[in-house]
C-alpha cells in the first residue's frame, strides 16, 4: 500500500509572552499616651468593632511634600492571567521519526502527516535580557575592612529577591534613573523592577492586618502630618507596607538600608516609583552604605524631626556628622538589641539629647518577632542552604533568650538532639526544664553537627572552637550582629574559602577538614531565606504607634531618656491581630475588674510584671 505524505503547515511564529498584572533603669517610667496615639487606637467614626481590622486595604500615595489622602486599594491586586491548557494529541495518532529528522504523525487510515517542529516558548519578563539573564563577568572581592558599626555589616537579605547584587557591574551611584513622575531623588538597583516589587508589597499587605487597619482608622486625622521621618531599616516588602502606612498617616519619609545585604531590589524600586526617596540596594559596599545614609539625611530644604532606626547606624551618623539636627528632632524609635544598647550607653553618659523609644523590649517585639519568627525561619534558612535532614542531628544553640527558645523548639520538634549554652542562670534553668541539656561549648564542639549562635554578644564561637569542629559542621548565626562568630580569624592564608552557592561557603583546613559557614556569620534567616510576614506586622505596628506617640507627645512628657512602650499600647497591637484567627476576647465583669483592681479595658498587667524574664542589663 502506498503511503501519501502530506506536508504540515509551516510552524507558527513564537509569540513573546509578556506577563502583566502579574540595660534600663530598674524602675520603668510611667508613660501617658498622647491624644494622637489614643486616636490612632480608637475605632473609626461611625462605630463598629474596635478590634476588627479594616476589610479594605488602602495604599498610601507618594509620601513626598504635600502628599494627599491615601487612595483606596481594591483587595484584589489584579487577576493573574492563567496559562492556556495544553492540547492533548489525538490518542489514535502514532509517532514515528520522519525521514528528514522531524517527527511524523501516522493516523489510523495510514496517512502520515509531518509534525510541526517544536519551538520552545520563553516567558519574557520586562527587561529580562538585560537584567535577569546577565551573568557576572567577574567576581568582585568583598572588602574585608571592618566597619565602625557592627550592625552595618549584618546580613538581612532575602533569598526571594529577583536579582543578585552581582547581576550588574555598574554601581547604582553611577546610574541616572528617574521614576515615571520624573523624580530622581532616589538610588536603587533598577527602577524598572518596580512592577515586581509592587506585587510583593501587595502580598505582604494581606498578612499585615494591623497596619492596614491603622491606615483606615487614623488617616482621617493624619496623626503624623508634618512629621519628617528618616529611616534606616531592612528594606523588604514588609518594611514597604510600614513606610506606605506612615505616608498615609501624613508623614514624609526618606529611607536607607540598615545593612549591606538587606535590600530587596525590586521592593526598593517600587518604593522609589511611588515617590519615596530610597537609597539602598543589595550588596552595597561599606562606602555605599554610609553614602546612602548621608543622602537620606543631608538634603537641602529638608530637616528630619523623627528617626526610625534599626541597629543605631543612622543615629550614630547624625551624632557624628550633623549634631545640630537634634535641635529639631522630637524622638528616636529603635527596634534592635544593638541599637538599644547604644542608646542606653548614650543615656548613661548624658549624651542622649532627645527621647528614645525602645521597641525591641516591648512585649509585642520580644515575645513574637524574636520567638515565633525564629522558630519558623531557622529551619527555612538551614534547609534552603544545606538541604539537610534534622532528625538525629546534634545541635548546640548558644543562648536561650527568646531567639534561642524559638530555635531550640523548632529543632527539637524535627528530632534533633539539642544542647544549650547559657550564662544566665534563669534562662539556663528554663532550658533544663524544657528538656535541653545545658553544656559549655567546649564540651560538645567536637561532636555536634550544627552550631547556632543567638546571644547578641561577640566572639561566642572563636577560632579555637572552629579548629576543633568536626568535618562538615554547619556554623551559623541567628543573633542580630555579625560578631558572634569570629569569621575574621578565618581570613588567613592557610585556610581556603570555597563558594558553594549564594551565602554558603566551605572553609577548608590544610588537612582537608571543612566547615560550612552560612551568610559569612551574619543573620541566617533573612540572609538565606525569609521570615513570616505576619510576625513582622506586629513589630511594624508597634513601631508606627511609637512614632505617633513620640511625635504628638506634649512638651515635657518624655525626657532625654530611653522609654518602653506603655503596656496599653502593646495590648492594642496584639488585639489588632486577633481577628485574623477569628479569636474572641473574654471581657471582665465589673465585679471581676474591681476584684483585680483593673480597668475593664486594660492594661491587664502592672508595670512591674515581667513576662519577658529579665530586664536589660
Amino acid at each position: 500500500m502506498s503511503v501519501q505524505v502530506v506536508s504540515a503547515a509551516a510552524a507558527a511564529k513564537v509569540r513573546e509572552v509578556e506577563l502583566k498584572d502579574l540595660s534600663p533603669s530598674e524602675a520603668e517610667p510611667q508613660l501617658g499616651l498622647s491624644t494622637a496615639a489614643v486616636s490612632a487606637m480608637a475605632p473609626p467614626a461611625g462605630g463598629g468593632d474596635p478590634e476588627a481590622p479594616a476589610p479594605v486595604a488602602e495604599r498610601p500615595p507618594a509620601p513626598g511634600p504635600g502628599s494627599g489622602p491615601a487612595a483606596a486599594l481594591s483587595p484584589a491586586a489584579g487577576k493573574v492571567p492563567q496559562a492556556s491548557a495544553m492540547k492533548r494529541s489525538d490518542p489514535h495518532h502514532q509517532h514515528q521519526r520522519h525521514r528528514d529528522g522531524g517527527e511524523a504523525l501516522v493516523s489510523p487510515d495510514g496517512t502520515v502527516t509531518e509534525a510541526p517542529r517544536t519551538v520552545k516558548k520563553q516567558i519574557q519578563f520586562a527587561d529580562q535580557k538585560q537584567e535577569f539573564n546577565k551573568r557576572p563577568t567577574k567576581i568582585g572581592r568583598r572588602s574585608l575592612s571592618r566597619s565602625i558599626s557592627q550592625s552595618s555589616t549584618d546580613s538581612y537579605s532575602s533569598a526571594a529577591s529577583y536579582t543578585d547584587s552581582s547581576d550588574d557591574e555598574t554601581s547604582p551611584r553611577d546610574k541616572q534613573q528617574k521614576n515615571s513622575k520624573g523624580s530622581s531623588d532616589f538610588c536603587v538597583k533598577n527602577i524598572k523592577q518596580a512592577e515586581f516589587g509592587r506585587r510583593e508589597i501587595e502580598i505582604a499587605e494581606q498578612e499585615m492586618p494591623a497596619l492596614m487597619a491603622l491606615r483606615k482608622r487614623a488617616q482621617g486625622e493624619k496623626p503624623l502630618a508634618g512629621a519628617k521621618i528618616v529611616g534606616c531599616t531592612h528594606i523588604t516588602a514588609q518594611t514597604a507596607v510600614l513606610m506606605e502606612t506612615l505616608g498615609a498617616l501624613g508623614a514624609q519619609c526618606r529611607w536607607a538600608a540598615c545593612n549591606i545585604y538587606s535590600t530587596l531590589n525590586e521592593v526598593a524600586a517600587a518604593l522609589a516609583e511611588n515617590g519615596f526617596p530610597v537609597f539602598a540596594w543589595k550588596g552595597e559596599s561599606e562606602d555605599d552604605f554610609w553614602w546612602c545614609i548621608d543622602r537620606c539625611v543631608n538634603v537641602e530644604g529638608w530637616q528630619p524631626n523623627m528617626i526610625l532606626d534599626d541597629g543605631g547606624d543612622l543615629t550614630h551618623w547624625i551624632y557624628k556628622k550633623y549634631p545640630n539636627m537634634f535641635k529639631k528632632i522630637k524622638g528616636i524609635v529603635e527596634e534592635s538589641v544593638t541599637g538599644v544598647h547604644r542608646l542606653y550607653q548614650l543615656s548613661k553618659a548624658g549624651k542622649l539629647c532627645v527621647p528614645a523609644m525602645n521597641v525591641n523590649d516591648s512585649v509585642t517585639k520580644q515575645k513574637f518577632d524574636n520567638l515565633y519568627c525564629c522558630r519558623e525561619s531557622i529551619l527555612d534558612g538551614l534547609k534552603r542552604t544545606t538541604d539537610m535532614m534534622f532528625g538525629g542531628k546534634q545541635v548546640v544553640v548558644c543562648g536561650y533568650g527568646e531567639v534561642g527558645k524559638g530555635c531550640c523548639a523548632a529543632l527539637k520538634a524535627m528530632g534533633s538532639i539539642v544542647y544549650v549554652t547559657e550564662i544566665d542562670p534563669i534562662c539556663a534553668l528554663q532550658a533544663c526544664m524544657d528538656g535541653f541539656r545545658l553544656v559549655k561549648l567546649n564540651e560538645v564542639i567536637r561532636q555536634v553537627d550544627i552550631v547556632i549562635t543567638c546571644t547578641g554578644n561577640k566572639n561566642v564561637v572563636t577560632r579555637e572552637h572552629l579548629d576543633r569542629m568536626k568535618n562538615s559542621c554547619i556554623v551559623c548565626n541567628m543573633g542580630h550582629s555579625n560578631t558572634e562568630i569570629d569569621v575574621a580569624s578565618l581570613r588567613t592564608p592557610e585556610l581556603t574559602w570555597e563558594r558553594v552557592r549564594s551565602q554558603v561557603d566551605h572553609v577548608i583546613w590544610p588537612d582537608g577538614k571543612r566547615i560550612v559557614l552560612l551568610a559569612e556569620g551574619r543573620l541566617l534567616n533573612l540572609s538565606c531565606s525569609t521570615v513570616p510576614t505576619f510576625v513582622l506586622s506586629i513589630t511594624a505596628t508597634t513601631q508606627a504607634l511609637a512614632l505617633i506617640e513620640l511625635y504628638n507627645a506634649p512638651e515635657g512628657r518624655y525626657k532625654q531618656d530611653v522609654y518602653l512602650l506603655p503596656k496599653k499600647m502593646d495590648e492594642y497591637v496584639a488585639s489588632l491581630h486577633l481577628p485574623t484567627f477569628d479569636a474572641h476576647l473574654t471581657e471582665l465583669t465589673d465585679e471581676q475588674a474591681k476584684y483585680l483592681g483593673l480597668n475593664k479595658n486594660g492594661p491587664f498587667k502592672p508595670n512591674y510584671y515581667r513576662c519577658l524574664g529579665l530586664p536589660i542589663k
Side-chain angles (χ1 to χ4, degrees):
M1 182 180 70
S2 62
V3 178
Q4 184 179 6
V5 179
V6 180
S7 182
K13 293 183 179 180
V14 179
R15 294 176 300 176
E16 185 172 274
V17 181
E18 183 176 354
L19 293 184
K20 297 181 179 178
D21 296 327
L22 288 183
S23 130
S25 56
E26 294 184 1
E28 297 176 1
Q30 295 284 343
L31 306 182
L33 290 178
S34 66
T35 304
V38 174
S39 299
M41 295 163 58
D49 182 5
E51 307 300 342
V56 180
E58 301 187 8
R59 183 188 304 158
S67 59
L73 170 66
S74 171
K79 295 183 178 179
V80 180
Q82 297 180 349
S84 59
M86 296 291 293
K87 293 184 178 179
R88 283 177 168 267
S89 301
D90 187 340
H92 298 293
H93 279 131
Q94 299 176 9
H95 291 264
Q96 74 177 37
R97 183 65 54 186
H98 196 257
R99 62 176 176 271
D100 64 356
E103 201 174 51
L105 300 178
V106 182
S107 60
D109 61 5
T111 304
V112 180
T113 304
E114 182 180 355
R117 295 183 182 276
T118 302
V119 182
K120 293 182 179 180
K121 292 186 178 182
Q122 294 183 345
I123 297 177
Q124 294 284 337
F125 291 88
D127 300 303
Q128 182 183 22
K129 292 182 179 179
Q130 70 177 18
E131 289 301 326
F132 291 88
N133 289 342
K134 273 192 176 181
R135 297 182 65 85
T137 56
K138 60 182 180 178
I139 300 176
R141 183 174 178 84
R142 186 173 297 128
S143 170
L144 302 181
S145 61
R146 297 183 68 87
S147 167
I148 61 173
S149 166
Q150 293 171 354
S151 62
S152 67
T153 55
D154 179 21
S155 178
Y156 200 122
S157 61
S158 168
S161 180
Y162 280 96
T163 59
D164 188 79
S165 58
S166 59
D167 282 355
D168 189 349
E169 294 295 328
T170 306
S171 170
R173 292 169 62 174
D174 299 329
K175 295 179 180 179
Q176 297 294 327
Q177 301 185 79
K178 291 186 178 181
N179 63 16
S180 62
K181 303 175 182 65
S183 172
S184 59
D185 188 18
F186 61 88
C187 189
V188 299
K189 186 72 172 179
N190 187 351
I191 189 64
K192 294 180 181 179
Q193 296 176 13
E195 286 286 337
F196 295 112
R198 177 50 53 192
R199 292 167 196 158
E200 290 191 32
I201 295 170
E202 288 170 353
I203 292 174
E205 288 176 345
Q206 307 310 308
E207 277 283 284
M208 305 186 83
L211 281 182
M212 306 311 291
L214 196 62
R215 291 186 196 182
K216 187 173 181 65
R217 297 181 186 192
Q219 68 175 343
E221 297 182 9
K222 302 286 184 185
L224 291 175
K228 295 181 178 180
I229 303 171
V230 59
C232 184
T233 65
H234 307 291
I235 298 181
T236 61
Q238 296 82 13
T239 303
V241 178
L242 170 62
M243 292 169 62
E244 292 184 344
T245 298
L246 299 178
L249 301 183
Q252 297 178 28
C253 301
R254 298 179 68 86
W255 229 263
C258 66
N259 65 64
I260 60 178
Y261 293 110
S262 70
T263 304
L264 294 184
N265 289 329
E266 63 276 9
V267 171
L271 288 167
E273 174 62 28
N274 199 22
F276 285 85
V278 174
F279 302 86
W281 58 93
K282 183 180 178 182
E284 300 168 2
S285 68
E286 287 295 314
D287 181 63
D288 292 334
F289 174 82
W290 295 111
W291 178 85
C292 288
I293 290 181
D294 193 72
R295 283 292 303 272
C296 280
V297 176
N298 185 22
V299 56
E300 187 176 352
W302 198 86
Q303 158 75 54
N305 53 27
M306 293 295 296
I307 294 174
L308 179 56
D309 211 352
D310 185 335
D313 294 313
L314 174 60
T315 304
H316 164 80
W317 188 255
I318 296 177
Y319 264 105
K320 179 181 176 182
K321 293 287 186 179
Y322 311 104
N324 288 334
M325 284 189 175
F326 281 104
K327 294 179 180 179
K328 294 187 178 180
I329 290 176
K330 293 188 174 184
I332 302 168
V333 174
E334 172 60 57
E335 72 154 333
S336 75
V337 173
T338 304
V340 166
H341 180 64
R342 291 175 175 177
L343 289 175
Y344 281 119
Q345 285 180 325
L346 287 172
S347 177
K348 187 176 181 180
K351 296 180 179 180
L352 185 63
C353 51
V354 295
M357 196 72 80
N358 171 6
V359 169
N360 179 73
D361 292 288
S362 63
V363 178
T364 43
K365 171 67 165 58
Q366 283 275 18
K367 275 295 184 184
F368 296 91
D369 194 336
N370 294 13
L371 175 62
Y372 299 111
C373 173
C374 295
R375 191 177 69 181
E376 297 196 15
S377 60
I378 179 63
L379 301 180
D380 190 17
L382 287 170
K383 278 286 189 185
R384 293 198 196 196
T385 50
T386 64
D387 304 315
M388 71 176 304
M389 183 174 181
F390 299 109
K393 291 295 191 299
Q394 296 192 61
V395 186
V396 59
V397 176
C398 302
Y400 201 68
E402 299 302 318
V403 173
K405 287 180 176 69
C407 293
C408 288
L411 291 162
K412 181 180 180 180
M414 296 300 293
S416 298
I417 302 166
V418 183
Y419 304 97
V420 172
T421 72
E422 184 50 78
I423 62 168
D424 187 319
I426 295 178
C427 293
L429 182 59
Q430 286 180 302
C432 292
M433 297 188 71
D434 286 337
F436 302 108
R437 183 182 168 193
L438 191 74
V439 298
K440 291 183 177 180
L441 187 56
N442 285 330
E443 297 171 357
V444 296
I445 197 63
R446 289 187 182 275
Q447 69 191 63
V448 293
D449 302 293
I450 310 174
V451 177
I452 304 171
T453 55
C454 311
T455 68
N457 205 339
K458 64 180 296 185
N459 294 334
V460 177
V461 177
T462 64
R463 176 60 188 269
E464 180 185 356
H465 294 126
L466 295 162
D467 286 338
R468 296 175 59 203
M469 288 177 183
K470 66 189 291 187
N471 186 50
S472 297
C473 182
I474 297 168
V475 186
C476 61
N477 171 42
M478 284 289 287
H480 176 79
S481 191
N482 67 325
T483 59
E484 303 200 29
I485 302 166
D486 189 9
V487 176
S489 69
L490 299 176
R491 307 280 190 183
T492 54
E494 74 271 14
L495 300 183
T496 302
W497 283 62
E498 182 179 80
R499 175 52 56 96
V500 180
R501 59 175 73 160
S502 178
Q503 307 284 13
V504 182
D505 290 288
H506 281 161
V507 182
I508 307 171
W509 269 251
D511 62 357
K513 185 200 87 169
R514 64 182 61 196
I515 65 168
V516 182
L517 180 63
L518 304 183
E520 298 184 21
R522 302 181 179 99
L523 189 62
L524 169 69
N525 53 0
L526 284 162
S527 299
C528 305
S529 60
T530 57
V531 298
T533 299
F534 186 81
V535 169
L536 295 186
S537 172
I538 300 172
T539 300
T541 306
T542 305
Q543 290 173 307
L545 289 176
L547 286 167
I548 292 173
E549 172 62 17
L550 278 180
Y551 181 69
N552 293 279
E555 188 75 24
R557 170 177 290 176
Y558 297 107
K559 310 297 181 183
Q560 297 172 354
D561 204 348
V562 184
Y563 293 84
L564 292 171
L565 266 72
K567 280 191 168 54
K568 178 67 175 176
M569 197 174 290
D570 269 326
E571 291 171 356
Y572 176 68
V573 172
S575 70
L576 287 176
H577 291 84
L578 289 176
T580 301
F581 304 99
D582 192 25
H584 305 277
L585 283 171
T586 300
E587 295 183 7
L588 290 173
T589 64
D590 292 337
E591 183 182 2
Q592 289 173 327
K594 183 178 180 181
Y595 177 79
L596 294 174
L598 297 175
N599 186 308
K600 290 178 63 175
N601 299 316
F604 298 97
K605 296 290 186 295
N607 232 22
Y608 56 80
Y609 178 78
R610 290 290 178 186
C611 64
L612 299 180
L614 294 176
I616 297 175
K617 297 175 181 176

